Amino acid sequence: MESSASPLSFSSLPLHLPNHRSLLLTSPKPYPCRISVRPIISSISEKPPTPSKLTTTTTPLPTRKIPGDYGLPLIGPLKDRLDYFYNQGRDDYFKSRIQKYQSTVYRANTPPGSFISNNPNVVVLLDGKSFPVLFDLDKVEKKDLFTGTYMPSTELTGGYRVLSFLDPSEPNHGKLKKLIFFLLQSRRQSVIPEFHTSFTELFESLESELASDGKANFNDPNDQAAFNFLARSLFGTNPAETNLGSDGPKLIRKWVLFQLSPLLVLGLPKLVEELVIHTFRLPPFLVKKDYQRLYDFFYNSSTFVLDEAEKTGISRDEACHNLLYATCFNSFGGMKILFPNMVKWIGRAGVKLHTELAQEIRSVIRSNGGKVTMAAMEQMPLMKSAVYESLRIEPPVALQYGRAKQDFVIESHDAAFQVKEGELLFGYQPFATKDPKIFERSEEFVANRFVGEEGEMMLKHVLWSNGPETESPGIGNKQCAGKDFVVLASRLLLVELFLRYDSFEIEVAKGPLGASVTLTSLKRASF
């Protein structure tokens, strides 16, 4: 999501859970009544890595000309696109050029290139020191850059440039951000209970599939649970009780495909993909009826928000298209990618971490009278750190762009580079958040990386939300309006998971938008 006037805060909202016998499926008896309450600390035995490898220096950096080139017109962008998608793959595309130019700042082309984007030429930023310039709105503009060097047709969004594509200098940016904040604040008391309801349905579905088939796909049920949660918590509507039924996730996937297809690899034959989705845009009319069904659902469900929009000078129609986009593209899209990735990383970490998370989460919930609240989750440092580490190691949004408003100097760890007004800057976020000069063991998932005072100091280098984790969204920036909402939902996923299960095992495959996760076992709670 985008952001608004002030930081989003959720008050501590008690959720009266079912008794632990019913919630923790195989628990042989309720929790003991006598509970020893003590300060909660992370119990993970492995020592976290040293927080930062950066050292303060006053030595001026050498000035370098930005290395790299764009090649011949048409041929250069096409060659780079084939390398990016097929010959090398995205990560190796960037790594190979770091090695070639001995620089984390260089010139290259990014897809889709000719026929879809007017100009694929970018200055690439691949380290944690240069990357944050993309958040500095004194230096860069964000207008129409949400999806990079091309912009999807506004026919896919009701004819409007929605919030994600607006620069903060544009008048509607502030109005629409305030509207998103109004929605989140108005419905904050529904978030925790509706998450519990929706993801209990998810876990019951997974258990049933595991019992019958011996394994269970996580992604599709997660999509349904995520959409149900968003509709119920933000709009007070259960999709199953409307004309939309259970079709929401399917319709969203198709609609998103029409916007992001120039950036995706779908697994089709290379020639087919190149001609059908990388060279020409998919025609919006093919998804018009599907989009109308989504629009009707949100228009009928969001009367109170549309009333507020009219008070601020935004038409009900424009407001509804923005609510749809913020919910379906930003929020649902984020949960569709982030939740399977979190399950992947935590699943791979193994039983030791699972046990420690279960012990921490259950201990805190017991000491809080069996209630899941914001205040209770603040007492779970390992759980919180595991969420931040998931966001660090595999940010749900990988690509960031900004256009230089003026001539200025960008600094990497090793050199300074002159950027000219009008040049397009591109950052590949996973390289910035796995910068080995900032994070030790940067390629490893270290669940307790952000535990303790020193660990928390490193949160300024966690950049998933189009801004540092230590900063808050506002009208004057492009930081995700739902930043705190996403963190809360991610914490709730781990809390619900480890209240219900001791451990789980998975198989992982690669999908077009993140990991495809299959559960092969779920060990029900035993303590």
Side-chain angles (χ1 to χ4, degrees):
M1 282 189 180
E2 276 286 337
S3 63
S4 186
S6 59
L8 174 64
S9 61
F10 288 90
S11 57
S12 297
L13 306 172
L15 168 62
H16 294 273
L17 297 178
N19 65 58
H20 292 108
R21 180 184 296 274
S22 62
L23 182 61
L24 304 178
L25 296 174
T26 60
S27 178
K29 58 181 181 297
Y31 291 134
C33 295
R34 306 185 72 180
I35 300 167
S36 175
V37 180
R38 61 183 187 276
I40 304 298
I41 60 172
S42 172
S43 61
I44 195 165
S45 57
E46 183 179 5
K47 185 178 178 181
T50 304
S52 179
K53 300 171 71 175
L54 290 177
T55 56
T56 303
T57 176
T58 57
T59 305
L61 290 169
T63 300
R64 284 188 66 183
K65 179 183 177 182
I66 300 175
D69 61 70
Y70 303 119
L72 296 172
L74 295 179
I75 296 174
L78 176 60
K79 179 183 180 302
D80 282 354
R81 187 172 79 195
L82 293 174
D83 285 346
Y84 182 97
F85 284 130
Y86 308 107
N87 300 336
Q88 294 176 301
R90 188 163 64 179
D91 282 18
D92 285 345
Y93 175 85
F94 295 122
K95 286 178 183 176
S96 65
R97 285 154 179 78
I98 290 176
Q99 296 169 353
K100 178 179 179 180
Y101 302 125
Q102 291 298 293
S103 176
T104 52
V105 176
Y106 55 79
R107 299 186 183 279
N109 298 293
T110 55
S114 305
F115 302 110
I116 292 180
S117 63
N118 292 329
N119 186 354
N121 304 162
V122 298
V123 176
V124 182
L125 313 177
L126 297 177
D127 62 83
K129 188 175 180 182
S130 64
F131 187 94
V133 76
L134 295 167
F135 313 141
D136 187 344
L137 297 179
D138 290 331
K139 295 180 178 178
V140 301
E141 181 187 69
K142 292 284 195 172
K143 184 177 180 179
D144 295 340
L145 296 177
F146 181 63
T147 48
T149 60
Y150 79 103
M151 181 178 170
S153 170
T154 56
E155 291 182 50
L156 295 165
T157 50
Y160 298 99
R161 292 172 55 241
V162 292
L163 178 58
S164 292
F165 292 92
L166 300 181
D167 186 77
S169 63
E170 299 179 76
N172 258 19
H173 183 272
K175 291 180 182 180
L176 289 167
K177 275 194 162 182
K178 285 181 179 179
L179 188 66
I180 300 299
F181 259 115
F182 170 81
L183 168 64
L184 292 169
Q185 291 283 10
S186 298
R187 297 291 301 173
R188 64 189 182 276
Q189 296 200 33
S190 301
V191 172
I192 293 177
E194 293 296 356
F195 192 96
H196 174 71
T197 299
S198 298
F199 279 79
T200 295
E201 294 169 359
L202 164 70
F203 294 134
E204 289 174 350
S205 169
L206 294 175
E207 289 171 13
S208 176
E209 189 174 349
L210 263 171
S212 62
D213 300 340
K215 60 183 179 179
N217 172 266
F218 177 80
N219 293 62
D220 290 342
N222 173 71
D223 287 357
Q224 190 66 61
F227 184 75
N228 289 346
F229 160 64
L230 291 167
R232 292 164 175 172
S233 64
L234 297 180
F235 301 100
T237 303
N238 183 5
E241 298 172 357
T242 72
N243 292 333
L244 193 62
S246 60
D247 291 343
K250 175 181 66 177
L251 299 178
I252 296 169
R253 285 194 291 268
K254 185 175 177 182
W255 172 64
V256 169
L257 173 65
F258 274 63
Q259 297 176 73
L260 295 185
S261 57
L263 302 178
L264 301 178
V265 173
L266 302 179
L268 302 172
K270 184 192 302 187
L271 182 60
V272 174
E273 282 197 338
E274 279 298 290
L275 290 176
V276 174
I277 64 173
H278 295 158
T279 304
F280 304 102
R281 297 173 185 261
L282 296 174
F285 77 86
L286 293 177
V287 77
K288 186 175 181 179
K289 289 184 179 179
D290 297 320
Y291 183 76
Q292 187 65 45
R293 288 187 66 194
L294 290 170
Y295 178 89
D296 291 343
F297 172 80
F298 282 95
Y299 195 89
N300 294 331
S301 302
S302 58
T303 300
F304 74 103
V305 195
L306 302 182
D307 291 343
E308 179 67 18
E310 283 191 317
K311 294 177 186 177
T312 62
I314 303 170
S315 72
R316 299 178 81 84
D317 186 55
E318 182 173 7
C320 187
H321 287 291
N322 274 275
L323 292 174
L324 191 163
Y325 196 93
T327 306
C328 297
F329 194 107
N330 300 131
S331 300
F332 173 83
M335 294 169 73
K336 176 181 177 61
I337 298 170
L338 175 60
F339 282 10
N341 285 347
M342 283 181 57
V343 171
K344 173 187 74 175
W345 288 108
I346 291 172
R348 285 175 170 174
V351 173
K352 180 174 178 293
L353 174 61
H354 299 175
T355 301
E356 293 181 349
L357 283 167
Q359 289 173 337
E360 177 184 83
I361 290 166
R362 294 174 199 174
S363 172
V364 172
I365 297 304
R366 290 173 186 173
S367 66
N368 281 268
K371 300 172 186 176
V372 175
T373 65
M374 289 287 293
M377 288 188 286
E378 286 299 323
Q379 301 171 48
M380 304 176 187
L382 179 59
M383 180 277 291
K384 293 193 298 179
S385 178
V387 167
Y388 289 134
E389 179 69 345
S390 298
L391 290 164
R392 178 198 73 85
I393 199 166
E394 197 165 8
V397 178
L399 316 178
Q400 295 285 352
Y401 290 83
R403 191 173 300 280
K405 289 181 175 180
Q406 61 197 30
D407 295 358
F408 63 90
V409 173
I410 289 179
E411 292 186 352
S412 69
H413 296 299
D414 306 312
F417 304 90
Q418 181 73 45
V419 171
K420 297 295 185 182
E421 178 181 354
E423 290 196 285
L424 187 59
L425 311 179
F426 160 80
Y428 184 51
Q429 191 153 237
F431 279 26
T433 55
K434 291 187 289 188
D435 186 336
K437 293 189 177 181
I438 294 177
F439 291 104
E440 291 195 354
R441 294 158 57 197
S442 61
E443 297 287 337
E444 298 178 35
F445 181 85
V446 182
N448 63 340
R449 186 183 296 276
F450 300 103
V451 169
E453 184 176 351
E454 291 185 338
E456 289 178 0
M457 289 174 61
M458 296 300 292
L459 289 173
K460 64 186 177 184
H461 301 295
V462 178
L463 311 172
W464 69 273
S465 62
N466 204 6
E469 185 59 37
T470 49
E471 295 182 9
S472 298
I475 285 179
N477 64 31
K478 288 296 288 181
Q479 192 162 24
C480 174
K483 168 177 170 281
D484 292 350
F485 181 82
V486 171
V487 171
L488 172 59
S490 302
R491 292 177 178 181
L492 287 169
L493 177 64
L494 294 193
V495 168
E496 294 288 346
L497 180 63
F498 286 106
L499 281 175
R500 194 175 183 102
Y501 306 108
D502 285 347
S503 187
F504 61 95
E505 295 178 350
I506 58 170
E507 295 174 351
V508 180
K510 188 176 181 180
L513 291 171
S516 176
V517 176
T518 300
L519 291 159
T520 56
S521 76
L522 287 167
K523 182 181 179 183
R524 298 189 181 193
S526 61
F527 62 88

